[in-house]
């Protein structure tokens, strides 16, 4: 999950909220699209189910025309972690999602695509020695557009008890016509004080820059975990005694 495109099987926990607020720029050779901000709201139902809603206020800049602003596509979804072997074992989830246009003029103004989509991905996570590995693969069925696939891999390591660094490889593809948008990025999470975690990521396309390949993409924002609880990194280890 944020600041990355690859999702993992994690859920917020019963009746807990995870709210991500971020600025997401995408710079291409001939245009730029920015989420200002991107709002991603997640709510836990039981310990293995997550209800999700995401949307963004978009800024679209094309050469020779005025900058456009408007509401992006609504992205509701439900995640279910149906295989759970604890924090260090293998975990698997399924996360069906919809991408729907809102009843506004965003399509007419060229802010959002006319196509709407259903995405069915599966997420895997496993701790391998000092690193955490998250993998996601999914099929996307598109109405008024080409179907495709998504795939992502995140490899991370806890540098300190509060600071995590990760690398991500992600690809979004279509079948007819056959196109790929492979990207690479580096990012991290830093635990501030409950309930806030700092999120950041920066990357670019792995292919030469042209119309649908970014020369820069990023995520800069904050995650709120509600209701506020001490982070695990703030809790004493069993051999330690509270101050």
């Amino acid at each position: 999950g944020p600041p990355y495109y690859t999702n993992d099987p994690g859920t917020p926990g019963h009746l807990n909220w995870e709210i991500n607020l971020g600025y997401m720029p995408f710079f291409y050779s001939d245009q730029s699209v920015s989420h200002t901000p991107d709002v991603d709201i997640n709510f836990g139902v039981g310990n293995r189910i997550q209800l999700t809603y995401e949307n963004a206020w978009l800024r679209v800049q094309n050469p020779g025309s005025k900058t456009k602003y408007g509401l992006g596509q609504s992205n509701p979804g439900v995640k279910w972690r149906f295989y759970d072997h604890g924090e260090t074992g293998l975990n698997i989830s399924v996360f069906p999602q919809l991408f729907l246009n809102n009843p506004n003029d965003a399509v007419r103004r060229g802010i959002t695509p006319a196509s709407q989509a259903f995405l069915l991905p599966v997420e895997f996570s496993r701790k391998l020695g000092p690193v955490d590995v998250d993998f996601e693969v999914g099929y996307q069925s598109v109405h008024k557009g080409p179907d495709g696939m998504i795939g992502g891999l995140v490899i991370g390591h806890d540098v300190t008890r509060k600071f995590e660094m990760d690398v991500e490889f992600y690809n979004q593809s279509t079948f007819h016509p056959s196109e790929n948008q492979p990207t690479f990025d580096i990012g991290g999470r830093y635990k501030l004080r409950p309930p806030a975690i700092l999120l950041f990521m920066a990357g670019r396309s792995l292919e030469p820059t042209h119309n649908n390949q970014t020369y820069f993409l990023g995520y800069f924002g904050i995650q709120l975990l509600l209701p506020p609880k001490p982070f695990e990194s703030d809790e004493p280890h069993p051999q330690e005694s509270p101050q």
Side-chain angles (χ1 to χ4, degrees), residues 140-161:
Q140 189 166 41
S141 176
V142 181
H143 177 62
K144 296 183 179 179
D147 292 353
M149 297 282 293
I150 62 102
L153 174 68
V154 175
I155 300 173
H157 174 66
D158 291 333
V159 181
T160 70
R161 293 172 66 184

Side-chain angles (χ1 to χ4, degrees), residues 164-216:
E164 166 195 333
M165 285 290 292
D166 311 275
V167 296
E168 178 183 33
F169 297 90
Y170 189 82
N171 186 55
Q172 186 167 358
S173 63
T174 59
F175 299 137
H176 306 290
S178 179
E179 292 186 354
N180 288 280
Q181 292 178 288
T183 57
F184 168 77
D185 59 74
I186 299 174
R189 300 182 177 100
Y190 184 80
K191 296 175 181 177
L192 300 171
R193 301 185 64 178
I197 299 175
L198 182 68
L199 308 174
F200 60 92
M201 176 271 281
R204 61 158 295 150
S205 172
L206 290 171
E207 292 194 359
T209 300
H210 53 84
N211 289 352
N212 65 341
Q213 306 294 340
T214 59
Y215 67 83
F216 180 83

Side-chain angles (χ1 to χ4, degrees), residues 6 8 13 17 20 25 30 32 57 67 75 90 103 117 124 144 155 160-161 168 176 181 189 196-197 228 238:
T6 305
D8 63 67
W17 295 86
N20 302 291
D30 62 346
S32 68
W57 185 253
T67 301
N75 176 205
L90 176 65
F124 306 83
K144 296 183 179 179
I155 300 173
T160 70
R161 293 172 66 184
E168 178 183 33
H176 306 290
Q181 292 178 288
R189 300 182 177 100
I197 299 175

Side-chain angles (χ1 to χ4, degrees), residues 22-104:
Y23 166 64
M24 298 177 64
F26 300 86
F27 296 150
Y28 304 86
S29 59
D30 62 346
Q31 69 167 333
S32 68
V33 179
S34 300
H35 297 205
T36 59
D38 187 271
V39 180
D40 175 27
I41 302 173
N42 306 280
F43 180 69
V45 179
N47 291 323
R48 296 191 181 190
I49 294 176
Q50 168 184 303
L51 307 180
T52 293
Y53 178 80
E54 183 176 4
N55 208 328
W57 185 253
L58 302 181
R59 178 187 184 274
V60 180
Q61 176 66 64
N62 293 298
S65 63
K66 292 182 61 176
T67 301
K68 302 174 185 177
Y69 297 88
L71 188 66
Q73 289 186 318
S74 291
N75 176 205
V78 180
K79 183 194 293 184
W80 173 38
R81 188 173 64 255
F82 60 87
Y83 190 85
D84 189 332
H85 270 212
E87 291 186 4
T88 60
L90 176 65
N91 293 277
I92 309 174
S93 64
V94 62
F95 192 9
Q97 301 164 60
L98 293 170
F99 295 84
L100 305 172
N101 283 312
N102 295 290
N104 54 22

